[in-house]
Amino acid sequence: QPHMEESGGGSVQPGGSLRLSCVVSGYTYSSYSMAWFRQSPGKEREGVAGIDSDGTTNYAPSVKGRFTISKDNAKSPLYLQMNSLKPEDTATYYCAAVFGGNRYPASLEPGHMDYWGKGTLVTVSS
């Protein structure tokens, strides 16, 4: 059973930047689809950015051009570089994954993910 842990959240002013990281431990894999999701109080969890082992990336329209998802290889951490942050980006951010066979390439659907981290809080406020 893989363990996934996010880090890098915090408070930032509008227009600022943060980089989130997600480390997978306790599991060996080669093919994957991984993604960042976020959820704020009273709202549904939404997919923000996804990436798969073929290098395909996928972004929600609300973050396209501002956020960049990256992962160099199966053993490296998953990152989310967030630039030009807005107050509406405030949420708890979760990394999630499905391993084996790249069944859901760069998916942003929560139901496609098998494993989740516990989340890291991002607050954008002046």
Side-chain angles (χ1 to χ4, degrees):
Q1 186 84 354
H3 175 73
M4 303 178 64
E5 186 166 357
E6 306 93 339
S7 61
S11 295
V12 64
Q13 292 187 340
S17 298
L18 282 175
R19 189 175 81 154
L20 305 183
S21 301
C22 174
V23 175
V24 179
S25 60
Y27 194 74
T28 302
Y29 61 95
S30 57
S31 61
Y32 57 87
S33 182
M34 298 183 72
W36 290 96
F37 295 81
R38 66 186 181 188
Q39 189 169 21
S40 50
K43 293 188 177 181
E44 291 188 356
R45 190 168 295 190
E46 64 169 342
V48 174
I51 190 168
D52 64 31
S53 46
D54 291 332
T56 301
T57 58
N58 189 18
Y59 295 92
S62 59
V63 306
K64 200 166 187 178
R66 299 189 298 122
F67 291 10
T68 302
I69 191 171
S70 63
K71 183 171 170 54
D72 289 339
N73 54 61
K75 293 184 178 181
S76 66
L78 177 71
Y79 297 107
L80 185 67
Q81 178 66 44
M82 303 186 295
N83 299 329
S84 302
L85 282 161
K86 304 175 181 180
E88 51 264 44
D89 295 318
T90 295
T92 298
Y93 284 72
Y94 301 88
C95 67
V98 55
F99 300 114
N102 200 6
R103 289 172 284 158
Y104 303 112
S107 174
L108 297 183
E109 291 293 329
H112 289 167
M113 301 294 148
D114 291 333
Y115 304 103
W116 293 81
K118 292 186 177 181
T120 186
L121 180 62
V122 172
T123 303
V124 185
S125 173
S126 55

